[in-house]
Amino acid sequence: GLVQAPVNPDFKGEFLAYQMEHCEAAAMIVDAAMLPQLLTAREAFRVVKSLVFTSDAVPDGAAALGAPTVLGWEEFVALG
């Protein structure tokens, strides 16, 4: 199943990491514009297994987040 856990787009660093860790997100679907905020909360990606960007391609720098699976939207949809 899927449960939505909205993230405040103004959160950065420890505030964003706290929210990600405590909702125990296994996957996140995010806009590429959120990449700068996500990079400030890298430590939270130890709980996130998959990261899907709403853009067709994975933005440059997304690999630095350390999520095991990082996909663009088209690649995600192609998985079925």
Side-chain angles (χ1 to χ4, degrees):
L2 176 73
V3 176
Q4 178 184 4
V7 175
N8 184 329
D10 292 328
F11 281 0
K12 296 178 183 148
E14 64 187 54
F15 295 106
L16 179 56
Y18 179 89
Q19 187 173 15
M20 290 168 56
E21 290 171 344
H22 286 81
C23 77
E24 298 179 6
M28 291 182 70
I29 299 174
V30 298
D31 189 278
M34 285 288 297
L35 183 58
Q37 285 96 318
L38 297 174
L39 288 169
T40 68
R42 279 182 222 169
E43 67 276 5
F45 282 90
R46 64 180 172 268
V47 297
V48 176
K49 307 294 183 245
S50 300
L51 182 61
V52 179
F53 285 93
T54 57
S55 55
D56 290 337
V58 174
D60 292 337
L65 294 169
T69 303
V70 180
L71 305 169
W73 189 254
E74 282 190 12
E75 188 177 9
F76 173 69
V77 171
L79 293 173

